[in-house]
Amino acid sequence: MATPAFTLYGAPGSGATPVYAALSLIGAPVKLVDVAPWEGDSEREKLDPVNPMRQVPVLVLPSGEVMTESAAILIWLADRYPEAGLAPGPGDPARAQFLRWMAFVSGAIYAMYWVRDDPSRLADSPEAEAVVADRSAERIAQCWRIMDAQMPRGTRYLLGDRLGVLDLYVTVVSRWQPRRLRFYREAPRMAEVVRRVDAEPRLVQSWEARYPFSAGWETDGP
Ligand SMILES: N[C@@H](CCC(=O)N[C@@H](CS)C(=O)NCC(=O)O)C(=O)O
């Protein structure tokens, strides 16, 4: 009998991208539902049956259970498929820092995009929106700097020599505003790692299918 597939909601380039990359490294079949909630209500409504937050990623497990929250999904996948080696396990000395930085990317950085994608959610004039956009970009840059300063030195990937879900997560989120060229300047240690993950042969198909390196992709932001 074929392995029941996961169903992953989220358009290319969204937070569903690292989840897709993890599933491909695991070798798990996945059905894709491309939804771009930042494009408006008609897209958001497609998420109502699975996520009242109207956000992606959403992963429907083979059991039918629904998972949301990118960090939780990635950690769950890594734990569920330990043979893929995508995270330090509960008894591993690197586990504490792994959980710390997964939560940091989600809580301190990814959460900023709720307001960045539509600054009118927190600002009531075009001028105020511009301030929110600018300050949230600065806050994201500061968070990358803080994280970078605390990454171990001399490892191939962020927490060691094995590519894991934290690497996938940072590689994708660092492509969003304020964009990669700024990320390289703010986070030189992590810059080496994300370039390595961009070029990882096992991920060529994932990036091509879900977040292609189209001409001019490596832009700068504020
Ligand atoms: N806490 C969520 C945040 C997800 C999120 O913000 N997703 C974006 C797309 S990358 C989204 O759905 N934005 C639409 C909206 O917030 O209205 C997670 O980590 O999965």
Side-chain angles (χ1 to χ4, degrees):
M1 192 199 296
T3 316
F6 288 93
T7 303
L8 177 61
Y9 290 73
S14 73
T17 309
V19 177
Y20 180 85
L23 286 164
S24 82
L25 292 175
I26 288 164
V30 59
K31 191 173 120 200
L32 297 170
V33 183
D34 283 358
V35 187
W38 56 89
E39 282 179 2
D41 279 341
S42 63
E43 285 292 288
R44 289 188 194 110
E45 280 161 15
K46 295 179 188 167
L47 291 163
D48 285 342
V50 283
N51 185 5
M53 290 290 278
R54 295 178 147 192
Q55 292 183 323
V56 296
V58 176
L59 186 68
V60 183
L61 309 187
S63 64
E65 188 181 346
V66 170
M67 275 197 89
T68 65
E69 301 308 316
S70 51
I73 293 169
L74 290 166
I75 295 167
W76 184 86
L77 283 171
D79 287 353
R80 170 69 184 76
Y81 298 95
E83 62 282 3
L86 295 176
D92 191 300
R95 180 73 172 183
Q97 294 307 305
F98 164 70
L99 292 176
R100 176 187 179 196
W101 295 115
M102 289 297 293
F104 182 86
V105 173
S106 167
I109 297 173
Y110 197 168
M112 284 284 168
Y113 292 89
W114 180 77
V115 61
R116 280 199 62 77
D117 286 349
D118 181 0
S120 71
R121 283 169 163 164
L122 291 185
D124 61 4
S125 69
E127 296 74 27
E129 286 182 30
V131 171
V132 166
D134 186 52
R135 291 190 184 167
S136 59
E138 290 310 311
R139 174 63 173 169
I140 291 166
Q142 179 195 30
C143 289
W144 287 132
R145 277 197 302 280
I146 288 169
M147 183 174 176
D148 196 64
Q150 294 180 77
M151 286 296 110
R153 294 292 180 266
T155 55
R156 270 187 77 69
Y157 298 103
L158 293 178
L159 295 179
D161 291 322
R162 273 196 95 139
L163 188 160
V165 291
L166 179 64
D167 304 293
L168 300 175
Y169 204 18
V170 171
T171 297
V172 171
V173 176
S174 64
R175 288 180 66 176
W176 302 342
Q177 287 281 356
R179 303 280 179 202
R180 265 301 183 78
L181 295 183
R182 174 115 192 235
F183 177 81
Y184 296 153
R185 292 196 297 278
E186 303 291 357
R189 155 74 184 122
M190 294 199 290
E192 284 174 30
V193 171
V194 297
R195 285 183 165 120
R196 191 167 286 133
V197 179
D198 290 341
E200 163 63 41
R202 290 178 298 154
L203 291 169
V204 169
Q205 182 275 335
S206 290
W207 300 145
E208 183 55 37
R210 306 306 295 170
Y211 208 174
F213 300 108
S214 329
W217 75 273
E218 212 171 23
T219 52
D220 212 343

